[in-house]
Every structure is written in structure tokens, then in C-alpha cells.
């Protein structure tokens, strides 16, 4: 039976520890960054100690990621005493120098560059030695190595507790929702990775990676294949190095969240060579990423963009979901495949530009499936109704385009749909998600010249129909002006009507109010600039 830590309890404990910063009166972003870096030092030290115990040796300083003088277990028991022993006046001066040295750390360790990226441009903000002592003491009391080792799932994959704990911390730190969109529930990530089934040698991309959940899980998924392959140790190491250095590409625009993703990937054993702090919607990015990737896995931001985008998108509209889906369509190489979370409004909204985007997805790509997620799956951050679209870029002009689309309606993901997202009795199966994956109708068949084709597992497509799943032909979709919502094609109309708890309805109304307000604000700005409203 699957087991899992109580993440809310663990998050409460981390939040309680983070409150030691109160006397230093730090802004929420400063508190999150400094706490994250100290937590990283603690986690890495525990993992390094475990590795040293297994090897029975201690690496010299020039081969360690963190040098001995800054190893957490050495200075944390008595920060001020340790600082004085090493020529510093107190723990504040010691920690300030530690952060500065790690920002310039040179080492033969393969992840040394990433540590420099983590600590670069960090201004150490703490002023009181009591804060350092309290933080070190509280973190020392936690056996984070034991918590990180807990497993979830029948195969016992290592669960991303680091990112999962940050989901909770981001909620608590960002009361104004400034960090709200940077985490995708891991059980959703797992099922999307299973569906696209990444293979050894394929290049995987997430253009809005947040805390790194998709790219970390894809890394673990392919690494497991490498470890199972019957090859020599030399070849296995080569494949693993290529996976780390060439086949995982991720971008995050927000600097602090980028660092959280970097920590997450380091702690999972990935050197994150292709993790970039950049803007996937810039003009440059449209050229850099065009036609490069075999697989795209993403949950990009929703809602109005914060600034006018001048990148060369075919359909200009100031909505993140509309621009990101176009970016990802263009970033797939021929034969590449994608599974992407989209706000459901994109799939049915009457705005002309959105209908054209859906038309392009159907007519120029092979849209394979739309997986409708329940309202509240992204609580407590958003009540937005979402779906996962799965599509493939044709290999060439003669390759197939969309002929039919498989729709699946997820009624339960194994959690309640309120703010706490507590597990339900069917948590061990993740609600309908296990059934969805078991019923997935396609095999990805590798082609000799690269790319894949999506081949139905059996000729009788009715075998993939159920009370929650059905097919729609491309002719039916054209008749609805490319409406891609699952309920639109449900053969049992009564079953397509979902019960929505009052709080979910309230969340959707508030979200709609935000969108209308934002659209009106944009319209006023455009009118004042002498522009028309047609581009909204």
C-alpha cells in the first residue's frame, strides 16, 4: 500500500522554523530565499554524509560540492563558537562570508557551477546572531534525510518532498499569491510523465518549470530505464551523463523560483546543466527553442500577461496560456509529443484568436487527447478549471493530422477539492488517474528517422470508451468551431454535468471577475494609446 508523509504537518514544521526570521523583519521573498538556501545546505549535508558512510571514505575539499568548513553539521551545533574558532567575530560575519565564498566556489564536483548559481547575487540580510542560532538549532533537530527517503507508489519511486514542501511554504509565504503558480501537484505530474513515456536519448523541455517538478520526474523516469538497461558500467555512465547534460531543458523566468528549481534538481542528482533563468516568450526564445524537442511537459501560467509581448507569435493575444501553447507547438520537432496543462477557457472561449489557436492545434498537429481535470485540483492557489492536452507534431506533409480525439473526464484525483487537498479513501489509486493511465489508448512507436507515431493499442477503439471516456471525430470538432472541452462531446449529456461545491463556484466567479477587470484595464490602456480593442 502506498505511504506518504503528511505534507501539511511537515510544511507546518518548516513554516514554524522559518518564523525565526521575524526579528530580522525580512520581506517574504527574502525570507523564502534565505530559508531555502539554509535548508539546501542542511539537506545536501545529510545526503553527503549518507554517501560518505556508504563509501567509507571522505572526499578532499576540491572534490566536494560544499567544502568542509561550510558543511552544515560542522558549524550548526554552535554557530558563534565555530565562527570565532575560524577568525570571525560572530555567526553573522561567518554566514555572510560563507554565502560569498559559495557564490565563487571552484571545485571538480560536477554540480559546482550550480552552487555558484544558487548563491550568486544573494545579499545576506540577517542582522542578529540569535536568528542564525535559532535557525541552525531547529534545522538540526529535523531528520530531513529520513523524510526525503520516504516513498510513494507501488514501485517506491523517490517522492519529490522538497518541491512538495515548498508548495506549502509558497502558500504561506505568498499570502498575496505572488508565488501561486509555480507548483504542479506531483500526482498530476507523475501521470502526465507516464502518458508521454519519455525514452532514453529523447530531449525533454519545460518552458515554465516553476520548482522543477516535471523535469525532475522525467529525469527520474529515464534514469530508471538507464539503470535497468543491460549495458556496461561505462555505457551506463555515459547515458546518464548525456541525460543530465543534453536531454533535460527547462526555463523559469522568476529568479527566486529558478533557484528553487535548481536546488530541487541538485538534490535529485541532476546537474541541471540546461536549466535557464530566462523568458520563454521572448523573441530570442522563439528562435532558440524552435523545432528542438522530442517531448514537452508543462503547466504554464494562466491569465493576462503583465506586459505587451513583441515575440513573433502567429496569434497575438495577451494571455499567458495562449502564448505558451503556441511556443510549445513551435518548439516540438517533427514527430515530437507534448502533454500540457491548459486553462479550460482556452479550449472553448469565443475570442477569435483562441479559436484560431485551437484550429491550428487540430488541423496542423495531431491532437490525441484532452483530459479534463476536476475543479479545485490546483487549490488553494486557483479555482481555474483545467485540462491536459496531449498532441504530436506530424513528421511531414504526408503524415497524419487529427482524425479523432480521446476525451477523458477525471472526476476525482484522490484528494478533496477544498483548500487543504486532503487525501480521500481512494488516494492510493489517485482517484480516476490510475484508470486513465490504464485506459490510455496509444502506443508511441519510434520511427527509424526519429520521432514517434501514435498507434492505437487495438483496432476496436470502443475498448477505450467508458463512463468517463469517449471519442470525437475531427468532423464533430470542426462543427463546434474547434471547441475542445470534454463535456461538449459526452455521449451521455446528463453525465457531463458535474456537481460543483459552492466554494468552487465562488472561486470561479472571483477568477472571472479578475479576468474582466484585467481586460477592461487593458482596453482602457489601448484606447488611451489610440489602439483598437480587436487585439485583446
Amino acid at each position: 500500500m502506498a505511504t506518504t508523509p503528511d505534507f501539511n504537518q511537515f510544511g507546518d514544521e518548516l513554516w514554524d522554523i522559518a518564523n525565526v526570521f521575524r526579528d530580522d523583519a525580512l520581506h517574504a521573498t527574502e525570507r523564502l530565499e534565505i530559508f531555502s538556501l539554509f535548508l539546501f545546505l542542511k539537506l545536501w549535508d545529510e545526503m553527503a554524509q549518507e554517501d560518505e558512510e556508504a563509501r567509507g571514505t571522505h572526499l578532499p575539499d576540491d572534490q566536494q560540492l560544499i567544502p568542509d568548513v561550510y558543511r552544515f553539521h560542522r558549524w550548526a551545533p554552535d554557530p558563534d563558537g565555530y565562527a570565532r574558532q575560524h577568525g570571525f567575530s560572530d555567526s553573522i560575519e561567518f554566514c555572510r562570508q560563507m554565502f560569498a565564498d559559495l557564490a565563487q566556489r571552484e571545485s571538480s564536483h560536477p554540480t559546482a557551477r550550480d552552487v555558484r548559481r544558487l548563491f550568486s547575487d544573494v545579499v545576506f540580510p540577517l542582522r542578529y546572531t540569535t536568528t542564525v542560532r535559532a535557525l541552525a538549532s531547529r534545522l538540526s533537530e529535523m531528520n530531513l534525510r529520513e523524510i526525503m527517503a520516504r516513498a510513494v507508489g507501488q514501485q517506491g519511486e523517490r517522492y519529490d518532498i522538497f518541491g512538495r514542501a515548498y508548495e506549502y511554504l509558497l502558500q504561506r509565504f505568498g499570502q498575496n499569491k505572488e508565488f501561486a503558480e509555480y507548483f504542479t501537484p506531483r500526482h498530476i505530474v507523475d501521470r502526465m510523465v507516464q502518458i508521454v513515456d519519455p525514452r532514453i536519448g529523447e530531449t525533454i523541455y519545460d518552458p515554465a518549470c516553476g520548482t522543477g517538478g516535471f523535469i525532475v520526474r522525467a529525469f527520474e523516469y529515464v534514469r530508471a530505464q538507464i539503470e535497468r538497461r543491460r549495458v556496461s558500467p561505462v555505457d551506463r555512465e555515459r547515458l546518464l551523463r548525456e541525460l543530465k547534460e543534453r536531454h533535460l531543458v527547462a526555463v523559469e523566468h522568476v529568479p527566486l523560483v529558478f533557484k528553487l528549481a535548481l536546488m530541487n534538481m541538485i538534490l535529485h542528482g541532476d546537474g541541471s546543466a540546461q536549466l535557464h533563468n530566462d523568458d520563454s516568450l521572448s523573441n530570442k526564445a522563439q528562435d532558440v527553442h524552435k523545432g528542438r524537442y522530442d517531448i514537452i511537459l508543462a503547466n504554464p501560467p494562466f491569465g493576462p500577461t503583465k506586459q505587451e509581448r513583441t515575440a513573433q507569435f502567429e496569434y497575438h493575444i495577451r494571455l499567458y496560456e495562449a502564448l505558451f501553447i503556441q511556443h510549445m507547438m513551435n518548439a516540438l520537432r517533427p514527430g515530437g509529443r507534448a502533454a500540457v496543462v491548459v486553462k479550460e477557457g482556452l479550449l472553448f472561449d469565443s475570442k477569435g484568436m483562441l479559436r484560431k489557436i485551437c484550429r491550428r492545434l487540430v488541423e496542423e498537429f495531431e491532437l490525441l487527447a484532452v483530459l479534463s481535470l476536476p475543479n479545485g485540483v490546483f487549490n488553494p492557489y486557483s479555482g481555474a478549471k483545467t485540462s491536459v492536452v496531449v498532441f504530436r507534431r506530424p513528421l511531414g506533409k504526408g503524415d497524419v493530422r487529427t482524425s479523432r480525439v480521446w476525451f477523458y473526464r477525471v472526476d476525482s484525483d484522490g484528494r478533496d477539492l477544498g483548500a487543504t487537498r486532503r487525501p480521500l479513501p481512494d488516494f492510493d489509486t489517485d482517484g480516476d488517474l490510475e484508470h486513465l493511465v490504464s485506459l490510455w489508448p496509444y502506443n508511441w512507436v519510434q520511427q527509424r528517422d526519429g520521432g514517434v507515431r501514435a498507434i492505437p493499442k487495438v483496432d476496436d477503439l470502443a475498448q477505450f470508451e467508458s463512463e468517463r471516456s469517449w471519442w470525437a471525430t475531427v468532423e464533430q470538432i470542426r462543427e463546434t468551431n474547434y471547441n475542445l472541452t470534454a463535456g461538449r462531446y459526452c455521449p451521455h449529456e446528463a453525465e457531463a454535468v458535474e456537481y460543483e461545491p459552492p466554494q468552487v463556484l465562488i472561486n470561479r466567479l472571483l477568477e472571472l471577475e479578475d479576468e474582466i477587470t484585467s481586460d477592461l484595464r487593458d482596453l482602457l490602456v489601448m484606447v488611451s494609446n489610440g489602439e483598437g480593442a480587436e487585439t485583446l
Side-chain angles (χ1 to χ4, degrees):
M1 179 177 294
T3 59
T4 180
D6 184 332
F7 291 115
N8 286 332
Q9 180 181 348
F10 180 47
D12 279 335
E13 192 170 356
L14 289 178
W15 174 251
D16 188 48
I17 294 173
N19 276 331
V20 302
F21 296 131
R22 284 178 296 186
D23 289 343
D24 275 271
L26 303 184
H27 184 271
T29 54
E30 292 178 311
R31 292 166 67 194
L32 180 58
E33 179 172 39
I34 293 301
F35 180 66
S36 300
L37 291 170
F38 275 108
L39 180 60
F40 169 80
L41 291 172
K42 162 70 171 173
L43 280 166
W44 178 264
D45 191 49
E46 289 199 6
M47 293 171 63
Q49 287 184 75
E50 185 179 55
D51 186 55
E52 290 165 354
E53 291 166 7
R55 286 200 320 266
T57 59
H58 181 77
L59 294 175
D61 249 18
D62 63 353
Q63 297 179 31
Q64 291 193 53
L65 184 66
I66 307 296
D68 270 342
V69 68
Y70 296 138
R71 291 283 293 272
F72 185 88
H73 73 277
R74 295 188 180 277
W75 61 264
D78 180 13
D80 289 305
Y82 187 86
R84 286 190 292 270
Q85 289 174 16
H86 288 79
F88 299 94
S89 60
D90 56 29
S91 56
I92 293 293
E93 186 181 348
F94 167 76
C95 288
R96 185 176 291 117
Q97 188 61 50
M98 174 172 67
F99 276 44
D101 287 349
L102 292 176
Q104 303 177 48
R105 171 75 172 147
E106 295 293 340
S107 166
S108 60
H109 192 284
T111 317
R113 170 177 171 266
D114 291 329
V115 168
R116 292 196 297 273
R117 292 203 287 173
L118 277 182
F119 288 87
S120 65
D121 303 320
V122 177
V123 178
F124 191 76
L126 299 184
R127 295 173 292 168
Y128 302 116
T129 58
T130 52
T131 303
V132 174
R133 288 198 301 270
L135 179 62
S137 175
R138 293 296 305 278
L139 286 176
S140 295
E141 293 169 359
M142 297 189 72
N143 186 352
L144 295 173
R145 185 179 6 166
E146 187 274 331
I147 295 172
M148 288 280 286
R150 297 179 191 177
V152 164
Q154 293 179 349
Q155 298 178 355
E157 302 101 335
R158 181 176 179 176
Y159 197 80
D160 181 19
I161 191 169
F162 184 77
R164 184 64 177 84
Y166 269 100
E167 175 189 23
Y168 189 89
L169 284 177
L170 292 176
Q171 174 195 350
R172 299 295 298 270
F173 272 113
Q175 296 300 323
N176 59 355
K177 295 188 178 182
E178 60 184 303
F179 303 118
E181 68 266 36
Y182 302 114
F183 190 89
T184 305
R186 290 300 174 251
H187 60 295
I188 304 293
V189 172
D190 282 347
R191 302 306 181 174
M192 290 172 64
V193 171
Q194 285 179 282
I195 284 170
V196 299
D197 190 23
R199 313 283 176 81
I200 296 172
E202 292 185 311
T203 303
I204 304 159
Y205 176 51
D206 183 349
C209 73
T211 57
F214 281 109
I215 213 73
V216 163
R217 187 67 188 96
F219 167 67
E220 292 183 329
Y221 191 90
V222 178
R223 180 176 61 184
Q225 295 176 34
I226 293 172
E227 291 170 349
R228 291 193 300 267
R229 179 170 281 193
R230 294 182 178 179
V231 295
S232 69
V234 172
D235 284 340
R236 185 174 293 110
E237 181 59 32
R238 174 184 57 79
L239 290 171
L240 186 59
R241 186 173 63 253
E242 289 177 353
L243 172 64
K244 292 179 177 182
E245 295 178 0
R246 294 172 47 196
H247 295 148
L248 300 170
V249 182
V251 177
E252 174 50 48
H253 191 205
V254 179
L256 175 53
V257 181
F258 162 77
K259 289 191 175 184
L260 297 182
L262 191 55
M263 294 179 211
N264 201 358
M265 296 174 78
I266 292 171
L267 290 168
H268 279 80
D270 170 31
S272 56
Q274 298 296 323
L275 175 62
H276 305 288
N277 183 197
D278 210 340
D279 181 2
S280 298
L281 300 181
S282 69
N283 281 329
K284 176 184 176 183
Q286 306 322 300
D287 293 329
V288 168
H289 298 286
K290 186 175 182 179
R292 284 189 56 188
Y293 304 108
D294 300 292
I295 291 172
I296 295 177
L297 287 156
N299 177 15
F302 310 145
T305 60
K306 295 185 173 78
Q307 60 185 11
E308 187 68 43
R309 294 288 175 171
T310 59
Q312 298 181 17
F313 296 101
E314 185 172 356
Y315 303 113
H316 290 271
I317 184 169
R318 293 184 62 177
L319 289 173
Y320 280 117
E321 57 266 36
L323 298 180
F324 268 106
I325 193 71
Q326 292 182 81
H327 171 71
M328 290 183 279
M329 286 192 282
N330 294 335
L332 279 179
R333 64 171 44 134
R337 58 200 184 277
V340 181
V341 178
V342 297
K343 188 176 180 181
E344 197 151 285
L346 172 68
L347 304 181
F348 70 84
D349 194 297
S350 61
K351 288 187 177 74
M353 291 295 185
L354 298 185
R355 304 283 25 92
K356 290 177 181 178
I357 290 170
C358 289
R359 182 185 188 282
R360 183 182 178 217
L361 189 60
V362 171
E363 300 293 354
E364 297 183 26
F365 288 75
E366 186 180 15
L367 178 61
L368 297 163
V370 176
L371 315 174
S372 174
L373 299 177
N375 287 314
V377 75
F378 292 111
N379 276 335
Y381 308 134
S382 171
K385 182 75 171 70
T386 56
S387 290
V388 176
V389 293
V390 184
F391 59 95
R392 168 186 167 273
R393 184 171 184 173
L395 286 160
K397 290 184 178 180
D399 197 4
V400 296
R401 304 298 193 268
T402 306
S403 60
R404 69 186 70 83
V405 178
W406 189 64
F407 292 91
Y408 190 104
R409 187 187 66 231
V410 178
D411 293 327
S412 170
D413 68 337
R415 283 86 173 153
D416 73 45
L417 298 177
T420 61
R421 300 289 281 134
R422 295 283 183 180
L424 297 172
D426 60 352
F427 169 62
D428 288 350
T429 62
D430 286 333
D432 299 330
L433 295 176
E434 184 175 282
H435 179 251
L436 185 161
V437 173
S438 69
L439 203 62
W440 177 249
Y442 303 102
N443 286 319
W444 302 111
V445 179
Q446 298 283 340
Q447 301 301 293
R448 180 175 299 177
D449 296 329
V452 300
R453 293 184 187 273
I455 307 299
K457 293 176 180 177
V458 297
D459 292 334
D460 181 11
L461 298 183
Q463 293 189 30
F464 305 113
E465 296 175 345
S466 70
E467 62 181 7
R468 290 188 292 276
S469 58
W470 47 87
W471 295 92
T473 65
V474 69
E475 290 78 17
Q476 290 175 295
I477 292 170
R478 287 168 180 157
E479 288 174 1
T480 66
N481 194 22
Y482 301 95
N483 184 317
L484 298 177
T485 55
R488 182 66 180 79
Y489 305 98
C490 180
H492 311 292
E493 186 175 350
E495 294 180 10
V497 179
E498 302 176 39
Y499 168 73
E500 295 184 342
Q503 187 56 51
V504 170
L505 292 173
I506 292 171
N507 288 343
R508 294 185 73 185
L509 287 171
L510 291 173
E511 181 187 34
L512 182 60
E513 179 186 20
D514 289 343
E515 289 185 9
I516 292 172
T517 301
S518 178
D519 279 353
L520 287 173
R521 187 185 305 114
D522 289 343
L523 179 58
L524 289 172
V525 170
M526 296 178 73
V527 170
S528 68
N529 292 334
E531 303 174 14
E534 297 172 346
T535 55
L536 278 175

